[in-house]
Amino acid sequence: MADMAFSGPEPDLQDLLAARPQLQMHAQDGLCLEGVALNAVADEYGTPIWVYGAGTMRARFAALRDAFKAEAVPMHIHYAVKANDHLAILNLFREQGAGADVVSIGEFRRAGLAGITARDIVYSGVGKSEAELEAALAAGIGQINTESAEEIEMISAIASRLGVVANIALRMNPDVDAGTHAKITTGLAENKFGIAAADIPALYARAASLPGVRAAGIAMHIGSQILSTTPYRLAYEKGATMVRALREAGQNVEVLDIGGGLGIGYQDEPGLNPAAFAATVRQATQGLGVKLMMEPGRYLTGPAGILLASVILRKQAGKRFLVLDAAMNELMRPAMYEAWHGILPVDASAFHAPATPADVVGPICESADVFAKDRALPDLRPGARLGLLDAGAYGAVMSSAYNARPRPAAVLVDQGGFALITRRQEPEALWEGEMIPVPGGA
Ligand code: LLP
């Protein structure tokens, strides 16, 4: 299984900057996101802090939409809320015309708060509770992607009780290797996701026969951070074959949800090209006559986000260590997947200074609290700021308050200005809701 860390020589600071049009280095202001100085953001709101670029997200959404337009493939884009569930970001994608893909009632409610109507929401996931299904159906959810016989029965029972009809798609496991990290591949037979192709026809027929359920189509999602169109082609060809087989068996199939997973360039690997992806989708689904939907997350938000941090102190212990005020509890990806994230100094003088290897770490009491090992970086004094790049997807959403660290603030950069979109959590909020019981119960 391919590791998420790219094996080529590491890009230097200039390379990282050159590959990211959303970033600029100004001689006086230092590192900027969409023209906004990160120093100005940190001066106002402190560090660590998440900084997101609205223009980058809009541009990436447009690139994906336009790639399908160029192939004359009508595509319904449902933003995968799990990548970054901030209300301001959901609102931004709603403004661009996106629906949402959710995996919990909490995400469903977030999408609703951002103005995405229930019928534009797809509910995915391997385990939805009865209460969650009931709430989603009562609110008029557009589609439920289901992955088990038992859930189909549950949906039928709940929808019948509520007197509604649930649109469902059966998530097919195409048994394709997405060539990504073992922890984020989902389309192999051994993964917990989806329904084996061999089981789909009988289950589809069962679903079509049940009250309260409308079997509307097939869904797939083969993994995340996928960098090649090959696994997609293989999966979608299998999906198209399934649609035809179901129709031959007399079933009604209107929808093919092709999932998400489009990879981005973290190191110097080229991200998945939207034009190549759209062409793959067109070829695999040509003449199928289905409504196509997709669920991208990382592609839309990943490159738009930076975790802005400061150096607390330097430490020489055989190796050179830079200890930051951000840690694995904020950006978990390096600790969890050995993921590589670019790191840029914010000050222009540091950016141009000679670089030597350093381990960039957080202050948490875990050896896994490492953002980068032997990374070529200049000497950075306490207080110097650094940007951890491509942190807009699976960053804040996966963070925790481990070591009683309050959650950072977040800022949205837009049209040359910036606005606070999340207040820094007060430490008191960490223990709010906790109680010390009276011995023997109260
Ligand atoms: N649809 C379904 C059913 C999914 O499970 C996922 C992601 C997506 C769509 C969106 O995938 P994307 O386009 O963002 O790749 N925490 C990991 C990634 C986990 C992805 C889980 N499922 C990471 O940090 O790399």
Side-chain angles (χ1 to χ4, degrees), residues 37-129:
L38 294 176
N39 271 324
V41 173
D43 286 348
E44 185 146 359
Y45 296 114
T47 61
I49 187 165
W50 302 99
V51 190
Y52 304 119
T56 309
M57 291 186 269
R58 287 193 202 101
R60 298 186 70 85
F61 186 89
L64 197 54
R65 185 192 52 207
D66 294 349
F68 284 101
K69 273 199 186 139
E71 294 288 335
V73 173
M75 178 60 71
H76 295 79
I77 301 178
H78 290 250
Y79 169 62
V81 172
K82 63 164 77 72
N84 188 322
D85 64 9
H86 197 288
L87 294 178
I89 289 174
L90 299 179
N91 181 59
L92 181 150
F93 288 121
R94 178 191 55 75
E95 285 172 350
Q96 304 307 300
D101 169 69
V102 305
V103 290
S104 70
I105 209 66
E107 287 190 355
F108 179 80
R109 291 184 59 189
R110 279 182 171 276
L113 280 169
I116 301 175
T117 54
R119 71 168 183 286
D120 292 329
I121 302 179
V122 176
Y123 196 161
S124 302
V126 73
K128 314 168 189 82
S129 74

